[in-house]
Amino acid sequence: MRLERRAHRPLFLVLVSPLIAVAAALAIAGILIAMAGAPVLEAYWRIVTGAFGTRLAATETFTRATPLILTGLAAAVAFRARVWNIGAEGQFYVGAITVAALGSSTLAALPGPLLIPTLFAAGALAGMLLMLLPLWLRLRFSVDEVVTSLLLNFVAVLFVSLLVEGVLKDPLAFGWPQSLPVSERALLPKLIMRSRLHIGLAVAVAAAIIVHLLQSRTVFGLRTRAAGLSPAGAAFAGVPLGLTLVKVACLSGGLAGLAGAIEVMGVKGYVTTDLSPGYGYSGIIVAMLANLHPVGVIAAAVFTAAMFVGADGMSRALGIPTYIADVIVSLSLLTMLVALFFTQYRIRR
């Protein structure tokens, strides 16, 4: 038996592989649920009803999915061009703290229709700048951006902690380490009244569609695919590799920074050091589950959010730890990697 690389990946396999990966992850996680003494099918039904069974549950799931769509896009855009951006968590935080700093003081007097897009742009710009540092180190000194972007996450979180404990600390927070709140004019309108679901979801979905069009209908998209498939071949064909990677880094970091901005303006209104439960890292899983496809990121983000939201209801009903959601999402990533391998290779006798 030997492995043979496929000349082309069948569309059927590309579409079905994420479903097979998720099914395999659920089957493996079902063993752990059974070992915990709970009925497997009921546990999964509790997750579904906990994520979508009520109006509150559904809106919470889509609220949680909003930043995951953007961080998933950030990872998908970068990975397609072989720019290994592991720093979306840090870019999320610098985008958030930039919005908190500007939206609470410098730009707070602007009218809402001007203030909101300005803060969006500021958050995205902050994420871009943080991502450009690892890319510059890669292009200038051949430093692996996996390491530098990952370590910058900790630098960014500590920097945010310094600000919320110092110059940006809210004096009305009774000593709690949180930033000054953004202006009320900077808060995003709600999509559904009496819920936390805000217009940022529409922004995230629009961003996914725009990224898809960029990658499939523009010269920039063709160049990013070429850079990802064969950097040497792309350079030989005349693709300006350095400039293309800089644009990819700006787009990727900007999307992650925009996620942080939207989370502050749509949900919290201020920044704390626990603003993100790991949106940047979960975005990598979302991107892989979507097979790096921008539109697929939307479905993968909703699935991931449903696991986290629904696990709370399952835990209350059956006494199973909520960490089973982390296990399912992590297993989904591993099984997806196996599925992707077999979409590229076949077994020959």
Side-chain angles (χ1 to χ4, degrees), residues 56-331:
L56 174 62
T59 55
E60 282 298 305
T61 298
F62 286 109
T63 300
R64 182 76 71 93
T66 299
L68 288 174
I69 293 173
L70 291 168
T71 56
L73 286 173
V77 165
F79 290 2
R80 185 171 287 276
R82 289 194 184 181
V83 176
W84 308 115
N85 180 13
I86 315 297
E89 185 80 357
Q91 294 146 25
F92 178 96
Y93 270 103
V94 296
I97 199 65
T98 300
V99 163
L102 296 177
S104 61
S105 57
T106 309
L107 302 178
L110 292 176
L114 182 59
L115 178 60
I116 289 175
T118 302
L119 292 179
F120 279 177
L125 180 60
M128 288 181 194
L129 293 176
L130 190 63
M131 182 54 205
L132 284 175
L133 177 58
L135 183 70
W136 177 75
L137 291 172
R138 167 183 163 175
L139 296 178
R140 182 68 179 83
F141 301 106
S142 299
V143 178
D144 189 349
E145 72 272 21
V146 171
V147 177
T148 50
S149 62
L150 175 62
L151 294 180
L152 275 175
N153 288 333
F154 302 99
V155 175
V157 173
L158 290 173
F159 177 67
V160 169
S161 178
L162 173 69
L163 292 179
V164 300
E165 291 274 12
V167 294
L168 290 181
K169 186 173 183 178
D170 185 359
L172 302 179
F174 300 101
W176 187 258
Q178 69 181 48
S179 73
L180 292 165
V182 298
S183 167
E184 288 190 4
R185 288 186 293 274
L187 299 179
L188 299 180
K190 301 298 182 185
L191 283 178
I192 299 178
M193 298 305 296
R194 293 182 298 172
S195 75
R196 300 203 305 166
L197 186 61
H198 51 82
I199 201 172
L201 175 63
V203 174
V205 171
I209 295 172
I210 292 170
V211 169
H212 172 61
L213 294 176
L214 278 175
Q215 290 188 337
S216 61
R217 303 294 178 87
T218 67
V219 174
F220 168 70
L222 178 63
R223 287 175 173 175
T224 59
R225 293 199 301 275
L229 291 172
S230 174
F236 181 79
V239 173
L241 195 58
L243 179 60
T244 299
L245 295 184
V246 168
K247 291 179 179 179
V248 168
C250 287
L251 181 56
S252 177
L255 287 166
L258 179 61
I262 287 177
E263 188 70 6
V264 172
M265 299 164 65
V267 179
K268 289 284 191 177
Y270 54 84
V271 175
T272 60
T273 53
D274 61 352
L275 176 68
S276 168
Y279 288 133
Y281 300 113
S282 297
I284 297 172
I285 299 175
V286 168
M288 296 306 299
L289 286 177
N291 203 4
L292 305 185
H293 194 287
V295 177
V297 162
I298 300 173
V302 172
F303 165 76
T304 304
M307 286 295 106
F308 289 130
V309 175
D312 292 332
M314 179 196 65
S315 178
R316 289 191 299 269
L318 302 177
I320 301 174
T322 57
Y323 295 115
I324 194 66
D326 299 286
V327 174
I328 294 173
V329 172
S330 301
L331 285 172

